[in-house]
Amino acid sequence: MAEFPDLGKHCSLQSCKQLDFLPYDCDGCGKTFCGDHKFPDNHKCDQVNKHTASGDYSGDKSYSCTFEGCQGRELMKVTCMECEKNFCLSHRHQSDHNCEKLEIKEDKTKTAEHVRQIIASKPNKDSGMRSKGGKSSKTAAKVALMKLKMHAVGDKGIPQDSRVFFLVHLPKDTKPKSKAMFFSKTWTIGRVIDSVADFNKIVNSNNTGSEKKLRLFLHDCGVLLDTTASLELCLQKETLYNGSSVILESVHSDCSQIHNFKDYKS
C-alpha cells in the first residue's frame, strides 16, 4: 500500500474513512464515498434531503406551471402540443390542465358530445378510444400493477408495504428489452437507476467523468425524471404511479427528454 500513496480516496463519512480504490462521487453533495456508502441514503446526504423534502426547484433554470393555483416547477419545459402552454409533470396531459383546445374539440358538435357520452357509459368496451389524460394513465398503471407483481424482481430486503413496481424499459442495446422490477418508495430516482443497472449488469458511469449518464424517463412522454427526487414524492405529486412504465437510457448530461419514447416496447 505504501508504494501507491495516491491511489484511491478515503470515504468522506466520518465514521468510515475507508480507503477505496474505486470511490464514488455523490451527485447531491459532491463528496466522495466508498462502495458501502455510495447511495445518498447510506451517507445521509444533506443535499438530497433538501431536494426531496420540498417539491420545488429553486435553481436558475426552472419552468413554472401555468395551471391556475399550481406552484410546481420543472427543470425542463413540458409544453402542451395543443395550447402550447408550459405545465408541470402533474398537469402535462390535456385533461389535467383543462386544455382550452380540448374543450373546443369536444364542444364542436352535438355528435361529438353524444359519442363521448356513449364511450363513458361503456368503460369496458372500445378501451382504445379512451382519453389519454392523467386519469386513464392512473387506471392503466393499476391494471399493469397486478401483472407486474406476479413476476417483478428486486431487492428482497425491501418490506412489502414499501415496494413500488415499475415496468422498466432497458437501453436499446440491452436484452431483454424490458423487465418488471420493484424498489423502495424511500429511494431517490438516482438510487433506482443504480439498482436497475446493478441487477441487469448494465455499465453505470454516473459516478465518473463520462460524457453519457444513465437517466430515467417517463415512458408516456419521454420527460426526464430528477435523480434527486424521492419515489415517495413522485407518487404524491402523481408524476409516477405504482405500476408505471419508465425508460432507462444512457444519454448526454444535457438531455432533458427522449423524443423517440414510443420506440421503447416490451
Side-chain angles (χ1 to χ4, degrees), residues 77-79 81 89 92-93 132 137 167-172 177-178 215-224 245-249 251 255-266:
K77 285 186 176 181
V78 183
T79 306
M81 298 295 289
L89 291 175
R92 65 188 184 274
H93 297 294
K132 295 182 179 180
S137 296
L167 176 62
V168 183
H169 294 271
L170 302 175
K172 284 194 170 183
K177 294 298 182 183
S178 62
R215 291 292 183 257
L216 208 63
F217 301 83
L218 292 170
H219 185 240
D220 64 349
C221 62
V223 172
L224 176 72
S245 293
V246 294
I247 299 171
L248 179 72
E249 190 55 88
V251 297
C255 177
S256 61
Q257 184 175 17
I258 289 180
H259 296 287
N260 61 333
F261 56 90
K262 291 184 178 180
D263 293 342
Y264 291 83
K265 300 177 182 179
S266 302

Side-chain angles (χ1 to χ4, degrees), residues 177-227:
K177 294 298 182 183
S178 62
K179 182 166 291 187
M181 297 189 67
F182 61 82
F183 314 92
S184 171
K185 64 181 180 182
T186 63
W187 290 2
T188 62
I189 295 295
R191 183 166 182 181
V192 170
I193 293 173
D194 290 336
S195 178
V196 175
D198 289 345
F199 199 93
N200 294 283
K201 296 181 174 56
I202 298 172
V203 176
N204 186 356
S205 303
N206 285 7
N207 294 303
T208 69
S210 173
E211 292 184 1
K212 285 192 172 184
K213 308 287 186 182
L214 285 175
R215 291 292 183 257
L216 208 63
F217 301 83
L218 292 170
H219 185 240
D220 64 349
C221 62
V223 172
L224 176 72
L225 289 167
D226 183 3
T227 56

Side-chain angles (χ1 to χ4, degrees), residues 25-126:
D25 294 327
C26 176
D27 289 340
C29 61
K31 296 179 181 180
T32 301
F33 298 93
C34 65
D36 293 334
H37 301 112
K38 64 180 180 180
F39 295 122
D41 290 349
N42 292 342
H43 62 262
K44 298 181 180 179
C45 180
D46 54 351
Q47 294 302 314
V48 169
N49 289 337
K50 289 180 181 179
H51 283 295
T52 56
S54 171
D56 298 324
Y57 174 74
S58 58
D60 295 332
K61 294 181 179 179
S62 63
Y63 301 90
S64 59
C65 178
T66 59
F67 186 70
E68 185 177 356
C70 181
Q71 302 297 319
R73 302 180 71 87
E74 300 297 342
L75 297 176
M76 74 297 294
K77 285 186 176 181
V78 183
T79 306
C80 174
M81 298 295 289
E82 297 295 334
C83 65
E84 298 183 348
K85 294 180 181 179
N86 192 74
F87 299 95
C88 65
L89 291 175
S90 297
H91 295 116
R92 65 188 184 274
H93 297 294
Q94 281 186 281
S95 60
D96 293 330
H97 63 258
N98 299 325
C99 182
E100 55 193 33
K101 299 293 184 180
L102 182 64
E103 291 178 355
I104 292 174
K105 288 180 180 179
E106 288 186 348
D107 296 335
K108 228 171 186 182
T109 65
K110 292 182 179 179
T111 302
E113 175 63 18
H114 182 60
V115 171
R116 188 191 67 78
Q117 291 177 355
I118 293 174
I119 294 173
S121 66
K122 299 179 180 180
N124 294 324
K125 296 181 180 181
D126 300 323

